[in-house]
Amino acid sequence: MGRGLPGVRESMTTGKRQQQLLCAPGLAMAAFLAIMLWFGLSRASMGAGAMPVEDEQRTEYGSFEMEMIYKYSQRFQEVTKGRPEWEHLAEDSWVRLETAEFYHKLVTEDRHRHASRNLLTADDAYSLSPTNATYFIRTLGSIHYSLLELGTPPKLFLVGLDTGSDLLWVPCDCRQCSKANWASYGLDLNIDFAIYNTSSSTTSKPVPCTSSVCTDTLTTNRTRSCNANAPQLCTYDSNYLSPNTSSSGTLVQDVVYLNPETGTGISNITADIYLGCGSLQTGDFLTGGAPNGLFGLGPAVYSVPSTLARNNVTKNVFSMCFSSTHDVGRLVFGKNPSASLQNTPLLTVDPSLYYVLELEGLKAGDLSLNVSGEAIFDTGTSITTFPSDVSKRLGAALSSKANLESFSFSFSQGTLFSNCWNAT
């Protein structure tokens, strides 16, 4: 989108007909079609969709002149002033041409049109606003985190990234939530600890239990009937691998803010998604594990990646590069990773609850273990776990290579590491 295009006056001459147009980016073809349609119209047949301009509209010897006026231009304000039939198109607060707000408005409207026509291309890629970076935070459960903006006006959340679950939830209308300040977790962050509120976001919509996304996987009471005449709110109750760790609340629909990964500098494109209003947290969520919310990236129908793909915002793909203690990673939706990267196929499982890989074997140094099976790829857990028989075989292989004294180590909450070695 070049600078200076909005408001540029162009001329087209065809025989005796001359048209003067005031065009905006992307409107050249629409303007041409409007001209072609106008050829069959006379002043007498001009409908409400046409806006003649005094002293600039002429019909003489088959010639005419018209002015096409851009919606966000100063000229549009001038010619619609005092004309109720056109004033409804005017914005409450007009955006200045060639500003970030101007291009944001253009792109947002184009996205809605393109989505409805299924005109998105395979190269469309988006990251979360305000940044595509991911962060490894050891003091918050040793998992990866990202910032994202939710609601209107937007609130900024620092959420854990979890491919092992499906729902995005944040603390909301709290009955029992984690401590709402970063200092409690030993962090000095230059952002507020946000709490989502269904009544303070103008774009928040409750999801009724009659909705197709309100499945038994989300419903707290699976035997509860849903009265179609007076539907209750859709509730969720998500339980996690950590002992007695869960989040529960109601399902809502709101907007998430995305940045295009095309280098255009345009930001804050909104997309409708589902999220959990997490009013009740237990277990690790109260002691530093994802205190500001958890971003479930799984394949369920209500997850953010699935919703973006279903609404034709992006392709049904996302890529995540892991961060380390000192370096940031990256999270992008809607674009395949580089072909130069090594890859392994996902297994198709039914129901599709997790991202599942086929385990072909294990190696300890030059020792190969004949181990096969299926493994869940889960960014929300910190430790790789195996069935006990596989763990014993792997431990024995490591011991044969370590030549060190081995011992068992009991960790918190009864976790037992059976293969540990004394080393300098």
Side-chain angles (χ1 to χ4, degrees):
M1 185 180 296
R3 287 178 57 85
L5 286 178
V8 173
R9 185 176 294 274
E10 302 175 354
S11 296
M12 297 178 60
T13 303
T14 306
K16 293 183 178 180
R17 297 181 174 89
Q18 184 180 44
Q19 302 85 31
Q20 290 185 323
L21 309 176
L22 198 61
C23 295
L27 292 180
M29 181 58 72
F32 177 74
L33 293 175
I35 293 167
M36 298 300 291
L37 291 172
W38 196 284
F39 286 163
L41 298 177
S42 66
R43 288 182 68 99
S45 64
M46 191 180 300
M51 185 164 59
V53 180
E54 297 299 329
D55 301 327
E56 293 188 16
Q57 176 72 41
R58 300 192 303 270
T59 54
E60 182 179 357
Y61 304 110
S63 299
F64 70 88
E65 185 177 294
M66 62 173 285
E67 183 179 11
M68 181 173 285
I69 301 170
Y70 184 54
K71 176 180 176 182
Y72 296 120
S73 67
Q74 179 65 32
R75 180 64 174 148
F76 187 87
Q77 297 180 64
E78 294 172 355
V79 299
T80 58
K81 186 176 181 179
R83 300 180 65 173
E85 69 271 25
W86 291 101
E87 284 183 335
H88 71 281
L89 294 176
E91 297 290 311
D92 293 335
S93 57
W94 290 81
V95 292
R96 186 163 54 88
L97 296 183
E98 301 186 18
T99 61
E101 293 80 10
F102 169 76
Y103 290 120
H104 171 211
K105 189 174 289 291
L106 285 183
V107 170
T108 300
E109 292 185 355
D110 284 347
R111 298 280 327 159
H112 288 303
R113 286 195 296 271
H114 288 188
S116 65
R117 300 169 188 169
N118 200 22
L119 296 179
L120 300 180
T121 69
D123 292 329
D124 288 330
Y126 293 87
S127 59
L128 298 172
S129 177
T131 175
N132 63 15
T134 67
Y135 312 91
F136 176 77
I137 305 178
R138 188 176 301 278
T139 58
L140 296 183
S142 294
I143 61 175
H144 300 267
Y145 287 81
S146 183
L147 294 167
L148 86 164
E149 292 180 306
L150 293 172
T152 307
K155 284 188 174 183
L156 186 65
F157 295 83
L158 179 66
V159 292
L161 301 174
D162 184 18
T163 60
S165 64
D166 301 287
L167 182 65
L168 164 63
W169 64 262
V170 292
C172 163
D173 299 340
C174 288
R175 290 185 290 147
Q176 180 175 281
C177 297
S178 59
K179 294 180 180 178
N181 63 83
W182 295 115
S184 297
Y185 312 101
L187 297 175
D188 182 16
L189 301 182
N190 191 29
I191 59 173
D192 293 331
F193 193 104
I195 302 292
Y196 182 85
N197 189 290
T198 52
S199 61
S200 63
S201 173
T202 59
T203 46
S204 178
K205 302 174 184 176
V207 175
C209 61
T210 53
S211 171
S212 60
V213 300
C214 189
T215 65
D216 284 344
T217 304
L218 284 173
T219 303
T220 302
N221 185 352
R222 300 189 181 197
T223 62
R224 185 187 64 184
S225 61
C226 185
N227 187 344
N229 295 323
Q232 304 95 333
L233 297 179
C234 180
T235 60
Y236 79 91
D237 189 1
S238 295
N239 294 281
Y240 299 85
L241 290 177
S242 298
N244 303 314
T245 297
S246 66
S247 174
S248 57
T250 60
L251 193 67
V252 300
Q253 187 176 15
D254 210 330
V255 296
V256 66
Y257 293 77
L258 305 174
N259 286 331
E261 289 285 296
T262 55
T264 61
I266 307 167
S267 62
N268 283 353
I269 296 171
T270 59
D272 292 330
I273 51 98
Y274 296 100
L275 70 141
C277 170
S279 58
L280 179 62
Q281 274 65 251
T282 64
D284 286 355
F285 294 137
L286 299 178
T287 59
N292 203 209
L294 193 68
F295 194 170
L297 292 163
V301 66
Y302 50 84
S303 73
V304 170
S306 297
T307 303
L308 294 178
R310 188 171 59 255
N311 292 341
N312 293 321
V313 178
T314 66
K315 290 175 58 179
N316 193 16
V317 61
F318 68 89
S319 60
M320 178 179 172
C321 296
F322 291 109
S323 54
S324 66
T325 303
H326 303 292
D327 299 312
V328 298
R330 195 163 181 259
L331 177 65
V332 175
F333 299 89
K335 187 174 183 179
N336 290 315
S338 170
S340 63
L341 296 178
Q342 295 186 10
N343 63 81
T344 186
L346 296 175
L347 296 181
T348 301
V349 293
D350 188 22
S352 182
L353 299 178
Y354 305 103
Y355 299 114
V356 180
L357 309 176
E358 183 177 2
L359 183 63
E360 297 180 348
L362 295 173
K363 293 187 68 176
D366 57 358
L367 294 178
S368 296
L369 303 181
N370 184 18
V371 176
S372 62
E374 298 178 354
I376 296 172
F377 186 78
D378 181 7
T379 62
T381 58
S382 303
I383 300 171
T384 300
T385 59
F386 297 102
S388 58
D389 61 327
V390 176
S391 180
K392 289 177 181 178
R393 292 172 57 194
L394 179 60
L398 292 171
S399 292
S400 68
K401 289 293 183 180
N403 294 320
L404 296 170
E405 180 185 356
S406 65
F407 64 96
S408 297
F409 175 70
S410 181
F411 197 57
S412 64
Q413 298 176 336
T415 302
L416 178 66
F417 296 100
S418 57
N419 297 288
C420 305
W421 296 269
N422 283 320
T424 58

